[in-house]
Amino acid sequence: MAILSSFAPLTILSIVLLVVGVIVTGAKARPRAFFVFGDSLVDSGNNNYLATTARADAPPYGIDYPPSHRPTGRFSNGYNIPDLISQRLGAESTLPYLSPELRGDKLLVGANFASAGIGILNDTGIQFVNVIRMYRQLEYFKEYQNRVSALIGASEATNLVKQALVLITVGGNDFVNNYFLVPNSARSRQYPLPQYVKYLISEYQKILQRLYDLGARRVLVTGTGPLGCVPSELAQRGRNGQCAPELQQAAALFNPQLEQMLLQLNRKIGSDVFIAANTGKAHNDFVTNPRQFGFVTSQVACCGQGPYNGLGLCTALSNLCSNRETYAFWDAFHPSEKANRLIVEEIMSGSKAYMNPMNLSTILALDANTGR
């Protein structure tokens, strides 16, 4: 199934979503809250407030972000995946949890706890030093709930969280910035790759169980993208433009096991709390056939330097493409806004091959019917 196979009914779907994405409390209607956890793929600026090199707060990041066209901390030329999901909910984008603007009624929109550089494991991304690791993101979520309870009362705060949509994106860095970071890394000496993946899945399950215990009841869990095909890996590990096989193997092991773990968790809970979003499959669609989706390349990053623009950081001194709409990758690791839009299309309306057990438009419609 191609990413745009469900494009025809989008006009109707967009109208419906503005209705089903709304929670009604008394006489006041508001979009359901949205919470985001994870790494740089979904970080909306938390790392701006931290002493770390894992930041996207300098040009040309944000070059297409309206209205300022200035960097926001998103690892994108414009909107990232959480922004685009918020738009489908009929809501404003969630603020980074560390933002001083996140107070008062802004808290009711939700919050973004994600932090670039982190992984499932606490030792992932240690070179970035001061980032918000997963255990700390969950502690902040608990702190957030206490703040909202003080604002609207404990009962209403509990309902807000249970009715909310949650997105979590983590795992890629556990390979790129841990297991494969250097030859003979500590983790690669400790585990062969298949056993390392099993260990990651077991640790991820603990994180998701904790998220459930904190009240999350609708959680989109994305898999990893095509790790070996990003410009950085093409430049460093690929041969003759071919994706790096060891990282592709890692993604091929991780994503199916993640999906099975989520379905097992749902069976244990007795409800479809966790939704497996196969963003790796969606991403692979335009990596393998970029021109079908309007890209001129899915190998060369728009912003960077070296082979495939895949070496080092995207900076004001980097090569910069003039038309971001024609590049699948914005920088050495991260999709362009257009690629993010294609991924969100599948999150919204993709088949079971992309969204298991159901896509987000189905979730929103079901929740509207049950008053959730």
Side-chain angles (χ1 to χ4, degrees):
M1 176 181 175
I3 285 180
L4 297 184
S5 61
S6 301
F7 192 78
L10 280 182
T11 303
I12 296 172
L13 179 60
S14 298
I15 296 169
V16 172
L17 289 178
L18 289 175
V19 177
V20 299
V22 168
I23 302 298
V24 178
T25 54
K28 186 178 180 181
R30 57 174 170 77
R32 69 196 298 168
F34 183 33
F35 301 107
V36 181
F37 301 85
D39 57 26
S40 60
L41 290 167
V42 291
D43 182 357
S44 291
N46 277 308
N47 282 20
N48 290 0
Y49 304 95
L50 302 173
T52 178
T53 57
R55 297 164 70 117
D57 60 344
Y61 284 97
I63 190 171
D64 299 310
Y65 189 87
S68 67
H69 300 276
R70 296 181 58 81
T72 62
R74 292 162 173 81
F75 286 77
S76 173
N77 57 301
Y79 290 127
N80 63 11
I81 288 172
D83 292 319
L84 299 168
I85 291 177
S86 289
Q87 290 172 17
R88 294 307 187 93
L89 295 176
E92 59 190 278
S93 292
T94 53
L95 288 170
Y97 187 67
L98 298 184
S99 169
E101 296 178 21
L102 187 66
R103 61 185 186 275
D105 285 349
K106 292 283 188 183
L107 286 164
L108 305 183
V109 175
N112 186 316
F113 303 92
S115 178
I118 66 97
I120 296 166
L121 306 180
N122 288 334
D123 60 299
T124 290
I126 55 174
Q127 69 271 32
F128 301 123
V129 187
N130 191 18
V131 289
I132 312 171
R133 307 195 184 281
M134 277 309 311
Y135 76 91
R136 185 60 172 143
Q137 291 186 30
L138 295 175
E139 289 176 353
Y140 278 148
F141 188 37
K142 178 63 176 175
E143 181 181 280
Y144 163 90
Q145 293 182 43
N146 292 335
R147 292 173 65 187
V148 173
S149 292
L151 184 67
I152 61 175
S155 177
E156 279 297 308
T158 298
N159 287 336
L160 181 144
V161 169
K162 286 188 174 180
Q163 292 172 347
L165 180 68
V166 177
L167 172 68
I168 181 167
T169 295
V170 68
N173 282 329
D174 292 286
F175 299 106
V176 173
N177 283 307
N178 193 329
Y179 194 87
F180 293 108
L181 179 62
V182 294
N184 299 312
S185 68
R187 287 295 188 184
S188 67
R189 294 195 305 271
Q190 183 181 11
Y191 296 105
L193 183 60
Q195 281 65 48
Y196 180 66
V197 170
K198 289 182 180 179
Y199 175 57
L200 286 180
I201 295 296
S202 68
E203 292 301 299
Y204 203 173
Q205 182 169 341
K206 296 173 186 175
I207 291 168
L208 295 174
Q209 182 65 52
R210 178 59 178 154
L211 198 53
Y212 177 80
D213 293 342
L214 287 170
R217 293 298 181 266
R218 285 295 194 198
V219 185
L220 304 178
V221 184
T222 70
T224 69
L227 298 174
C229 301
V230 301
S232 174
E233 300 305 332
L234 290 178
Q236 297 180 71
R237 301 174 190 271
R239 293 183 179 178
N240 301 317
Q242 298 299 305
C243 301
E246 61 270 37
L247 280 156
Q248 288 298 88
Q249 183 191 6
L253 289 169
F254 180 82
N255 288 332
Q257 291 184 50
L258 174 61
E259 185 168 338
Q260 287 307 306
M261 180 264 281
L262 297 176
L263 297 177
Q264 289 170 10
L265 266 180
N266 287 343
R267 285 193 290 271
K268 174 186 170 184
I269 293 167
S271 177
D272 290 330
V273 172
F274 298 102
I275 310 299
N278 194 343
T279 50
K281 181 173 176 59
H283 210 148
N284 267 324
D285 286 344
F286 53 78
V287 164
T288 56
N289 194 358
R291 293 191 179 277
Q292 181 181 342
F293 303 100
F295 298 119
V296 296
T297 179
S298 60
Q299 293 184 314
V300 180
C302 170
C303 181
Q305 48 277 315
Y308 307 99
N309 280 344
L311 298 179
L313 301 174
C314 169
T315 71
L317 299 178
S318 298
N319 301 319
L320 180 65
C321 68
S322 59
N323 185 359
R324 273 75 66 184
E325 291 285 301
T326 61
Y327 283 70
F329 284 96
W330 158 246
D331 65 11
F333 290 102
H334 303 99
S336 63
E337 180 187 309
K338 180 177 177 180
N340 284 333
R341 288 185 182 278
L342 293 172
I343 291 168
V344 171
E345 289 298 346
E346 285 303 344
I347 290 174
M348 294 306 306
S349 53
S351 69
K352 200 169 183 178
Y354 294 84
M355 297 293 294
N356 192 8
M358 68 190 97
N359 60 41
L360 183 51
S361 61
T362 302
I363 291 169
L364 296 174
L366 284 173
D367 291 351
N369 288 334
T370 58
R372 188 166 173 171

